[in-house]
Amino acid sequence: MYTPSQFGFVGTMVPAVDITLHTFLGVSWVILLPYTIFGIALMAYSQSRLMRGQRAINRQSKLDK
């Protein structure tokens, strides 16, 4: 069964990953920021599609009963 993810935890984890990559690679956060924003948007889109699909499955299973 579907369980919602904790976006708050992910939201606090992402900047930490950016800072770690910046420190390890020596790449400016300005370069990494667009990729981080794209990743967050992709996660939010995937989560919404997953929720819509789960609702459709639940609706279909109720109709089949």
Short mmCIF file of all heavy atoms in Angstrom, two decimals:
data_model
loop_
_atom_site.label_atom_id
_atom_site.label_comp_id
_atom_site.label_asym_id
_atom_site.label_seq_id
_atom_site.Cartn_x
_atom_site.Cartn_y
_atom_site.Cartn_z
N MET A 1 0.83 -1.18 0.00
CA MET A 1 0.00 0.00 0.00
C MET A 1 0.87 1.24 0.00
O MET A 1 1.99 1.24 0.47
CB MET A 1 -0.93 -0.03 1.20
CG MET A 1 -1.76 1.19 1.33
SD MET A 1 -3.25 0.84 2.23
CE MET A 1 -4.15 2.29 1.82
N TYR A 2 0.35 2.30 -0.51
CA TYR A 2 1.08 3.56 -0.62
C TYR A 2 1.15 4.28 0.72
O TYR A 2 0.17 4.37 1.43
CB TYR A 2 0.36 4.44 -1.65
CG TYR A 2 0.80 5.86 -1.63
CD1 TYR A 2 2.02 6.21 -2.18
CD2 TYR A 2 0.04 6.83 -1.03
CE1 TYR A 2 2.44 7.51 -2.15
CE2 TYR A 2 0.44 8.14 -0.99
CZ TYR A 2 1.66 8.47 -1.56
OH TYR A 2 2.07 9.75 -1.52
N THR A 3 2.32 4.76 1.06
CA THR A 3 2.47 5.61 2.23
C THR A 3 3.13 6.91 1.78
O THR A 3 4.12 6.88 1.05
CB THR A 3 3.34 4.95 3.32
OG1 THR A 3 4.60 4.59 2.73
CG2 THR A 3 2.68 3.71 3.87
N PRO A 4 2.60 8.04 2.18
CA PRO A 4 3.17 9.32 1.73
C PRO A 4 4.57 9.53 2.27
O PRO A 4 4.88 9.11 3.38
CB PRO A 4 2.20 10.36 2.27
CG PRO A 4 1.35 9.68 3.26
CD PRO A 4 1.44 8.20 3.02
N SER A 5 5.41 10.15 1.47
CA SER A 5 6.77 10.44 1.93
C SER A 5 6.78 11.70 2.79
O SER A 5 5.82 12.46 2.80
CB SER A 5 7.71 10.62 0.73
OG SER A 5 7.42 11.83 0.09
N GLN A 6 7.85 11.89 3.44
CA GLN A 6 8.00 13.06 4.30
C GLN A 6 8.78 14.13 3.54
O GLN A 6 10.00 14.12 3.53
CB GLN A 6 8.73 12.67 5.60
CG GLN A 6 8.05 11.58 6.39
CD GLN A 6 6.68 12.02 6.88
OE1 GLN A 6 6.49 13.16 7.24
NE2 GLN A 6 5.74 11.11 6.88
N PHE A 7 8.07 15.05 2.87
CA PHE A 7 8.74 16.09 2.11
C PHE A 7 9.56 17.01 3.00
O PHE A 7 10.55 17.57 2.57
CB PHE A 7 7.73 16.92 1.31
CG PHE A 7 7.35 16.28 0.01
CD1 PHE A 7 6.04 15.94 -0.24
CD2 PHE A 7 8.31 16.04 -0.96
CE1 PHE A 7 5.68 15.36 -1.44
CE2 PHE A 7 7.96 15.46 -2.16
CZ PHE A 7 6.66 15.12 -2.40
N GLY A 8 9.17 17.18 4.25
CA GLY A 8 9.93 18.03 5.16
C GLY A 8 11.32 17.50 5.38
O GLY A 8 12.31 18.24 5.36
N PHE A 9 11.44 16.20 5.55
CA PHE A 9 12.75 15.57 5.74
C PHE A 9 13.59 15.71 4.48
O PHE A 9 14.76 16.07 4.54
CB PHE A 9 12.58 14.10 6.11
CG PHE A 9 13.88 13.35 6.18
CD1 PHE A 9 14.76 13.58 7.22
CD2 PHE A 9 14.24 12.46 5.19
CE1 PHE A 9 15.97 12.91 7.29
CE2 PHE A 9 15.43 11.79 5.24
CZ PHE A 9 16.30 12.01 6.30
N VAL A 10 12.98 15.45 3.33
CA VAL A 10 13.69 15.57 2.06
C VAL A 10 14.13 17.01 1.84
O VAL A 10 15.24 17.28 1.38
CB VAL A 10 12.82 15.07 0.89
CG1 VAL A 10 13.47 15.36 -0.44
CG2 VAL A 10 12.56 13.58 1.03
N GLY A 11 13.27 17.97 2.19
CA GLY A 11 13.59 19.37 2.01
C GLY A 11 14.78 19.82 2.84
O GLY A 11 15.53 20.70 2.44
N THR A 12 14.97 19.23 4.02
CA THR A 12 16.12 19.59 4.83
C THR A 12 17.35 18.81 4.43
O THR A 12 18.47 19.25 4.67
CB THR A 12 15.84 19.35 6.33
OG1 THR A 12 15.48 17.98 6.51
CG2 THR A 12 14.73 20.24 6.83
N MET A 13 17.16 17.65 3.81
CA MET A 13 18.29 16.82 3.41
C MET A 13 18.96 17.35 2.14
O MET A 13 20.17 17.29 2.00
CB MET A 13 17.81 15.39 3.17
CG MET A 13 18.92 14.39 2.97
SD MET A 13 18.28 12.73 2.82
CE MET A 13 17.61 12.77 1.19
N VAL A 14 18.19 17.91 1.22
CA VAL A 14 18.73 18.35 -0.07
C VAL A 14 19.80 19.44 0.07
O VAL A 14 20.85 19.32 -0.54
CB VAL A 14 17.58 18.79 -1.00
CG1 VAL A 14 18.10 19.47 -2.25
CG2 VAL A 14 16.74 17.58 -1.38
N PRO A 15 19.58 20.50 0.87
CA PRO A 15 20.66 21.49 1.01
C PRO A 15 21.93 20.89 1.62
O PRO A 15 23.03 21.28 1.26
CB PRO A 15 20.06 22.54 1.93
CG PRO A 15 18.59 22.41 1.77
CD PRO A 15 18.36 20.95 1.51
N ALA A 16 21.78 19.91 2.52
CA ALA A 16 22.94 19.27 3.11
C ALA A 16 23.74 18.53 2.05
O ALA A 16 24.98 18.53 2.06
CB ALA A 16 22.51 18.31 4.21
N VAL A 17 23.04 17.90 1.09
CA VAL A 17 23.72 17.20 0.00
C VAL A 17 24.46 18.21 -0.86
O VAL A 17 25.60 17.97 -1.28
CB VAL A 17 22.71 16.39 -0.83
CG1 VAL A 17 23.36 15.86 -2.10
CG2 VAL A 17 22.13 15.25 -0.01
N ASP A 18 23.85 19.35 -1.13
CA ASP A 18 24.51 20.40 -1.92
C ASP A 18 25.78 20.89 -1.24
O ASP A 18 26.81 21.05 -1.88
CB ASP A 18 23.58 21.59 -2.12
CG ASP A 18 22.81 21.49 -3.41
OD1 ASP A 18 23.04 20.53 -4.16
OD2 ASP A 18 21.97 22.37 -3.66
N ILE A 19 25.69 21.11 0.06
CA ILE A 19 26.86 21.60 0.79
C ILE A 19 27.96 20.54 0.78
O ILE A 19 29.14 20.86 0.59
CB ILE A 19 26.47 21.99 2.23
CG1 ILE A 19 25.57 23.22 2.19
CG2 ILE A 19 27.70 22.23 3.09
CD1 ILE A 19 24.89 23.55 3.50
N THR A 20 27.59 19.27 0.94
CA THR A 20 28.57 18.19 0.92
C THR A 20 29.23 18.09 -0.44
O THR A 20 30.45 17.95 -0.54
CB THR A 20 27.88 16.85 1.27
OG1 THR A 20 27.25 16.98 2.53
CG2 THR A 20 28.88 15.73 1.33
N LEU A 21 28.45 18.16 -1.52
CA LEU A 21 29.03 18.12 -2.86
C LEU A 21 29.94 19.32 -3.10
O LEU A 21 31.00 19.19 -3.71
CB LEU A 21 27.92 18.09 -3.91
CG LEU A 21 27.28 16.74 -4.16
CD1 LEU A 21 26.12 16.89 -5.13
CD2 LEU A 21 28.28 15.74 -4.68
N HIS A 22 29.53 20.48 -2.62
CA HIS A 22 30.35 21.67 -2.79
C HIS A 22 31.70 21.49 -2.10
O HIS A 22 32.74 21.81 -2.66
CB HIS A 22 29.63 22.89 -2.23
CG HIS A 22 30.52 24.09 -2.10
ND1 HIS A 22 31.08 24.73 -3.18
CD2 HIS A 22 30.97 24.74 -1.00
CE1 HIS A 22 31.82 25.74 -2.75
NE2 HIS A 22 31.77 25.76 -1.44
N THR A 23 31.66 20.95 -0.89
CA THR A 23 32.89 20.76 -0.13
C THR A 23 33.76 19.69 -0.78
O THR A 23 34.97 19.86 -0.92
CB THR A 23 32.55 20.35 1.31
OG1 THR A 23 31.70 21.34 1.87
CG2 THR A 23 33.80 20.22 2.15
N PHE A 24 33.16 18.59 -1.20
CA PHE A 24 33.92 17.47 -1.75
C PHE A 24 34.48 17.78 -3.14
O PHE A 24 35.64 17.53 -3.42
CB PHE A 24 33.03 16.22 -1.81
CG PHE A 24 33.71 15.00 -2.34
CD1 PHE A 24 34.70 14.37 -1.60
CD2 PHE A 24 33.39 14.50 -3.59
CE1 PHE A 24 35.33 13.25 -2.09
CE2 PHE A 24 34.02 13.38 -4.09
CZ PHE A 24 35.00 12.75 -3.33
N LEU A 25 33.64 18.34 -4.01
CA LEU A 25 34.05 18.59 -5.39
C LEU A 25 34.66 19.97 -5.61
O LEU A 25 35.32 20.20 -6.61
CB LEU A 25 32.85 18.42 -6.33
CG LEU A 25 32.19 17.04 -6.37
CD1 LEU A 25 30.96 17.09 -7.26
CD2 LEU A 25 33.18 16.01 -6.88
N GLY A 26 34.38 20.86 -4.69
CA GLY A 26 34.85 22.22 -4.87
C GLY A 26 34.05 22.98 -5.92
O GLY A 26 34.52 23.96 -6.49
N VAL A 27 32.82 22.52 -6.19
CA VAL A 27 31.95 23.15 -7.17
C VAL A 27 31.07 24.15 -6.44
O VAL A 27 30.55 23.88 -5.37
CB VAL A 27 31.08 22.09 -7.89
CG1 VAL A 27 30.13 22.76 -8.87
CG2 VAL A 27 31.95 21.08 -8.59
N SER A 28 30.89 25.29 -7.05
CA SER A 28 30.09 26.35 -6.43
C SER A 28 28.63 25.91 -6.29
O SER A 28 28.08 25.23 -7.15
CB SER A 28 30.16 27.61 -7.28
OG SER A 28 29.26 28.57 -6.81
N TRP A 29 27.98 26.34 -5.22
CA TRP A 29 26.56 26.00 -5.01
C TRP A 29 25.69 26.64 -6.07
O TRP A 29 24.59 26.17 -6.35
CB TRP A 29 26.11 26.41 -3.61
CG TRP A 29 26.12 27.89 -3.38
CD1 TRP A 29 27.15 28.62 -2.89
CD2 TRP A 29 25.06 28.80 -3.63
NE1 TRP A 29 26.81 29.94 -2.82
CE2 TRP A 29 25.53 30.09 -3.27
CE3 TRP A 29 23.77 28.69 -4.11
CZ2 TRP A 29 24.75 31.23 -3.39
CZ3 TRP A 29 22.99 29.84 -4.23
CH2 TRP A 29 23.48 31.08 -3.88
N VAL A 30 26.18 27.73 -6.69
CA VAL A 30 25.43 28.39 -7.75
C VAL A 30 25.27 27.46 -8.95
O VAL A 30 24.24 27.45 -9.62
CB VAL A 30 26.12 29.72 -8.16
CG1 VAL A 30 25.42 30.37 -9.34
CG2 VAL A 30 26.20 30.66 -6.98
N ILE A 31 26.28 26.64 -9.20
CA ILE A 31 26.21 25.67 -10.29
C ILE A 31 25.28 24.52 -9.91
O ILE A 31 24.53 24.02 -10.75
CB ILE A 31 27.62 25.15 -10.63
CG1 ILE A 31 28.46 26.30 -11.18
CG2 ILE A 31 27.56 24.00 -11.62
CD1 ILE A 31 29.92 25.96 -11.34
N LEU A 32 25.31 24.08 -8.67
CA LEU A 32 24.52 22.93 -8.24
C LEU A 32 23.05 23.28 -7.99
O LEU A 32 22.19 22.40 -8.03
CB LEU A 32 25.11 22.33 -6.96
CG LEU A 32 26.50 21.72 -7.11
CD1 LEU A 32 27.01 21.29 -5.75
CD2 LEU A 32 26.49 20.56 -8.08
N LEU A 33 22.75 24.54 -7.73
CA LEU A 33 21.39 24.95 -7.37
C LEU A 33 20.35 24.60 -8.43
O LEU A 33 19.29 24.06 -8.08
CB LEU A 33 21.36 26.43 -7.02
CG LEU A 33 20.05 26.95 -6.45
CD1 LEU A 33 19.73 26.24 -5.14
CD2 LEU A 33 20.13 28.45 -6.24
N PRO A 34 20.57 24.85 -9.72
CA PRO A 34 19.54 24.49 -10.71
C PRO A 34 19.25 22.99 -10.74
O PRO A 34 18.10 22.58 -10.90
CB PRO A 34 20.13 24.95 -12.05
CG PRO A 34 21.15 25.97 -11.69
CD PRO A 34 21.66 25.60 -10.34
N TYR A 35 20.28 22.18 -10.56
CA TYR A 35 20.07 20.73 -10.53
C TYR A 35 19.28 20.31 -9.30
O TYR A 35 18.45 19.40 -9.36
CB TYR A 35 21.42 19.99 -10.57
CG TYR A 35 22.18 20.26 -11.84
CD1 TYR A 35 23.27 21.11 -11.85
CD2 TYR A 35 21.77 19.68 -13.04
CE1 TYR A 35 23.95 21.36 -13.03
CE2 TYR A 35 22.45 19.93 -14.21
CZ TYR A 35 23.54 20.77 -14.20
OH TYR A 35 24.20 21.03 -15.36
N THR A 36 19.52 20.98 -8.18
CA THR A 36 18.78 20.69 -6.96
C THR A 36 17.31 21.07 -7.14
O THR A 36 16.41 20.30 -6.77
CB THR A 36 19.39 21.48 -5.79
OG1 THR A 36 20.75 21.11 -5.66
CG2 THR A 36 18.65 21.18 -4.50
N ILE A 37 17.06 22.23 -7.71
CA ILE A 37 15.68 22.67 -7.92
C ILE A 37 14.97 21.72 -8.88
O ILE A 37 13.82 21.33 -8.66
CB ILE A 37 15.65 24.12 -8.43
CG1 ILE A 37 16.12 25.06 -7.31
CG2 ILE A 37 14.27 24.51 -8.92
CD1 ILE A 37 16.37 26.48 -7.76
N PHE A 38 15.67 21.30 -9.94
CA PHE A 38 15.09 20.34 -10.88
C PHE A 38 14.78 19.02 -10.18
O PHE A 38 13.72 18.43 -10.39
CB PHE A 38 16.04 20.09 -12.05
CG PHE A 38 15.57 19.03 -12.99
CD1 PHE A 38 14.49 19.27 -13.84
CD2 PHE A 38 16.17 17.79 -13.02
CE1 PHE A 38 14.03 18.29 -14.70
CE2 PHE A 38 15.72 16.80 -13.87
CZ PHE A 38 14.65 17.05 -14.71
N GLY A 39 15.67 18.55 -9.32
CA GLY A 39 15.45 17.31 -8.59
C GLY A 39 14.25 17.40 -7.65
O GLY A 39 13.45 16.47 -7.55
N ILE A 40 14.11 18.52 -6.98
CA ILE A 40 12.97 18.71 -6.08
C ILE A 40 11.67 18.73 -6.88
O ILE A 40 10.68 18.12 -6.49
CB ILE A 40 13.14 20.00 -5.26
CG1 ILE A 40 14.28 19.83 -4.26
CG2 ILE A 40 11.86 20.37 -4.54
CD1 ILE A 40 14.71 21.12 -3.59
N ALA A 41 11.68 19.44 -8.02
CA ALA A 41 10.49 19.49 -8.86
C ALA A 41 10.13 18.10 -9.40
O ALA A 41 8.96 17.71 -9.43
CB ALA A 41 10.70 20.46 -10.02
N LEU A 42 11.13 17.34 -9.78
CA LEU A 42 10.90 15.98 -10.28
C LEU A 42 10.33 15.08 -9.19
O LEU A 42 9.41 14.29 -9.44
CB LEU A 42 12.20 15.41 -10.83
CG LEU A 42 12.12 14.06 -11.53
CD1 LEU A 42 11.21 14.16 -12.75
CD2 LEU A 42 13.50 13.61 -11.95
N MET A 43 10.84 15.22 -7.96
CA MET A 43 10.30 14.42 -6.85
C MET A 43 8.86 14.79 -6.56
O MET A 43 8.02 13.92 -6.32
CB MET A 43 11.15 14.62 -5.59
CG MET A 43 12.45 13.88 -5.61
SD MET A 43 13.33 13.90 -4.03
CE MET A 43 13.59 15.63 -3.78
N ALA A 44 8.55 16.08 -6.57
CA ALA A 44 7.18 16.52 -6.31
C ALA A 44 6.24 16.03 -7.41
O ALA A 44 5.13 15.56 -7.12
CB ALA A 44 7.13 18.04 -6.21
N TYR A 45 6.66 16.10 -8.66
CA TYR A 45 5.84 15.62 -9.78
C TYR A 45 5.60 14.11 -9.66
O TYR A 45 4.48 13.64 -9.81
CB TYR A 45 6.51 15.95 -11.10
CG TYR A 45 5.81 15.36 -12.29
CD1 TYR A 45 4.62 15.90 -12.75
CD2 TYR A 45 6.33 14.25 -12.95
CE1 TYR A 45 3.96 15.36 -13.85
CE2 TYR A 45 5.68 13.70 -14.04
CZ TYR A 45 4.50 14.25 -14.49
OH TYR A 45 3.85 13.70 -15.56
N SER A 46 6.66 13.37 -9.37
CA SER A 46 6.53 11.92 -9.24
C SER A 46 5.61 11.55 -8.09
O SER A 46 4.80 10.62 -8.20
CB SER A 46 7.91 11.29 -9.00
OG SER A 46 8.76 11.55 -10.08
N GLN A 47 5.71 12.28 -7.00
CA GLN A 47 4.86 12.02 -5.84
C GLN A 47 3.40 12.27 -6.18
O GLN A 47 2.53 11.48 -5.81
CB GLN A 47 5.30 12.91 -4.67
CG GLN A 47 4.58 12.63 -3.38
CD GLN A 47 5.01 11.32 -2.75
OE1 GLN A 47 6.05 10.77 -3.07
NE2 GLN A 47 4.21 10.81 -1.86
N SER A 48 3.13 13.35 -6.91
CA SER A 48 1.74 13.65 -7.26
C SER A 48 1.19 12.60 -8.22
O SER A 48 0.03 12.20 -8.12
CB SER A 48 1.62 15.05 -7.86
OG SER A 48 2.25 15.12 -9.11
N ARG A 49 2.00 12.14 -9.17
CA ARG A 49 1.55 11.09 -10.10
C ARG A 49 1.29 9.78 -9.35
O ARG A 49 0.33 9.07 -9.63
CB ARG A 49 2.60 10.86 -11.19
CG ARG A 49 2.82 12.03 -12.10
CD ARG A 49 1.66 12.29 -12.98
NE ARG A 49 1.44 11.15 -13.85
CZ ARG A 49 0.42 11.00 -14.66
NH1 ARG A 49 -0.49 11.93 -14.74
NH2 ARG A 49 0.30 9.93 -15.40
N LEU A 50 2.13 9.48 -8.37
CA LEU A 50 1.96 8.28 -7.56
C LEU A 50 0.66 8.35 -6.77
O LEU A 50 -0.11 7.37 -6.71
CB LEU A 50 3.13 8.11 -6.62
CG LEU A 50 3.15 6.87 -5.73
CD1 LEU A 50 3.26 5.61 -6.59
CD2 LEU A 50 4.30 6.94 -4.77
N MET A 51 0.36 9.51 -6.19
CA MET A 51 -0.87 9.67 -5.42
C MET A 51 -2.10 9.55 -6.32
O MET A 51 -3.07 8.91 -5.94
CB MET A 51 -0.86 11.02 -4.70
CG MET A 51 0.14 11.09 -3.57
SD MET A 51 0.39 12.73 -2.89
CE MET A 51 -1.24 13.16 -2.39
N ARG A 52 -2.04 10.16 -7.52
CA ARG A 52 -3.16 10.05 -8.46
C ARG A 52 -3.39 8.61 -8.88
O ARG A 52 -4.52 8.14 -8.97
CB ARG A 52 -2.90 10.90 -9.70
CG ARG A 52 -3.42 12.28 -9.55
CD ARG A 52 -3.42 12.95 -10.90
NE ARG A 52 -2.40 14.00 -10.84
CZ ARG A 52 -1.86 14.59 -11.87
NH1 ARG A 52 -2.20 14.25 -13.08
NH2 ARG A 52 -0.97 15.54 -11.72
N GLY A 53 -2.31 7.89 -9.15
CA GLY A 53 -2.43 6.50 -9.54
C GLY A 53 -3.00 5.64 -8.43
O GLY A 53 -3.83 4.76 -8.68
N GLN A 54 -2.58 5.89 -7.20
CA GLN A 54 -3.09 5.13 -6.07
C GLN A 54 -4.59 5.38 -5.87
O GLN A 54 -5.35 4.46 -5.60
CB GLN A 54 -2.34 5.50 -4.78
CG GLN A 54 -2.71 4.66 -3.59
CD GLN A 54 -2.34 3.20 -3.79
OE1 GLN A 54 -1.28 2.91 -4.33
NE2 GLN A 54 -3.18 2.30 -3.35
N ARG A 55 -5.02 6.64 -6.04
CA ARG A 55 -6.45 6.94 -5.93
C ARG A 55 -7.25 6.24 -7.03
O ARG A 55 -8.34 5.72 -6.79
CB ARG A 55 -6.68 8.45 -6.00
CG ARG A 55 -6.47 9.14 -4.68
CD ARG A 55 -6.98 10.55 -4.73
NE ARG A 55 -6.25 11.33 -5.72
CZ ARG A 55 -5.44 12.34 -5.45
NH1 ARG A 55 -5.29 12.73 -4.22
NH2 ARG A 55 -4.80 12.97 -6.41
N ALA A 56 -6.68 6.19 -8.24
CA ALA A 56 -7.37 5.52 -9.34
C ALA A 56 -7.49 4.02 -9.08
O ALA A 56 -8.53 3.41 -9.34
CB ALA A 56 -6.63 5.77 -10.65
N ILE A 57 -6.45 3.43 -8.54
CA ILE A 57 -6.49 2.00 -8.20
C ILE A 57 -7.53 1.75 -7.12
O ILE A 57 -8.30 0.78 -7.21
CB ILE A 57 -5.10 1.51 -7.76
CG1 ILE A 57 -4.15 1.46 -8.97
CG2 ILE A 57 -5.18 0.14 -7.09
CD1 ILE A 57 -2.71 1.19 -8.61
N ASN A 58 -7.55 2.59 -6.10
CA ASN A 58 -8.55 2.43 -5.03
C ASN A 58 -9.96 2.58 -5.55
O ASN A 58 -10.85 1.81 -5.20
CB ASN A 58 -8.30 3.45 -3.91
CG ASN A 58 -7.07 3.13 -3.10
OD1 ASN A 58 -6.58 2.01 -3.14
ND2 ASN A 58 -6.56 4.12 -2.39
N ARG A 59 -10.19 3.58 -6.43
CA ARG A 59 -11.50 3.78 -7.03
C ARG A 59 -11.91 2.56 -7.85
O ARG A 59 -13.05 2.10 -7.78
CB ARG A 59 -11.47 5.02 -7.92
CG ARG A 59 -12.52 6.02 -7.55
CD ARG A 59 -12.51 7.24 -8.46
NE ARG A 59 -11.39 8.12 -8.13
CZ ARG A 59 -10.44 8.52 -8.98
NH1 ARG A 59 -10.47 8.14 -10.23
NH2 ARG A 59 -9.48 9.30 -8.58
N GLN A 60 -10.97 2.04 -8.64
CA GLN A 60 -11.27 0.88 -9.48
C GLN A 60 -11.57 -0.35 -8.65
O GLN A 60 -12.47 -1.12 -8.95
CB GLN A 60 -10.09 0.60 -10.43
CG GLN A 60 -10.37 -0.47 -11.44
CD GLN A 60 -11.47 -0.07 -12.42
OE1 GLN A 60 -11.61 1.10 -12.76
NE2 GLN A 60 -12.25 -1.02 -12.82
N SER A 61 -10.82 -0.55 -7.56
CA SER A 61 -11.05 -1.72 -6.72
C SER A 61 -12.41 -1.63 -6.01
O SER A 61 -13.06 -2.65 -5.79
CB SER A 61 -9.93 -1.91 -5.71
OG SER A 61 -9.90 -0.85 -4.79
N LYS A 62 -12.85 -0.42 -5.67
CA LYS A 62 -14.16 -0.25 -5.06
C LYS A 62 -15.27 -0.55 -6.06
O LYS A 62 -16.31 -1.09 -5.71
CB LYS A 62 -14.32 1.16 -4.49
CG LYS A 62 -13.54 1.39 -3.23
CD LYS A 62 -13.70 2.80 -2.72
CE LYS A 62 -12.83 3.02 -1.51
NZ LYS A 62 -12.90 4.40 -1.02
N LEU A 63 -15.06 -0.18 -7.33
CA LEU A 63 -16.06 -0.44 -8.37
C LEU A 63 -16.15 -1.94 -8.70
O LEU A 63 -17.20 -2.43 -9.05
CB LEU A 63 -15.73 0.34 -9.64
CG LEU A 63 -15.91 1.85 -9.58
CD1 LEU A 63 -15.43 2.48 -10.87
CD2 LEU A 63 -17.36 2.21 -9.32
N ASP A 64 -15.02 -2.63 -8.58
CA ASP A 64 -15.01 -4.06 -8.91
C ASP A 64 -15.69 -4.92 -7.84
O ASP A 64 -16.10 -6.02 -8.11
CB ASP A 64 -13.56 -4.54 -9.09
CG ASP A 64 -12.95 -3.99 -10.37
OD1 ASP A 64 -13.71 -3.54 -11.25
OD2 ASP A 64 -11.70 -4.00 -10.47
N LYS A 65 -15.82 -4.42 -6.65
CA LYS A 65 -16.40 -5.21 -5.55
C LYS A 65 -17.87 -5.37 -5.68
O LYS A 65 -18.69 -4.87 -6.20
CB LYS A 65 -16.08 -4.59 -4.20
CG LYS A 65 -14.64 -4.78 -3.84
CD LYS A 65 -14.37 -4.20 -2.48
CE LYS A 65 -12.89 -4.36 -2.14
NZ LYS A 65 -12.56 -3.81 -0.88
#
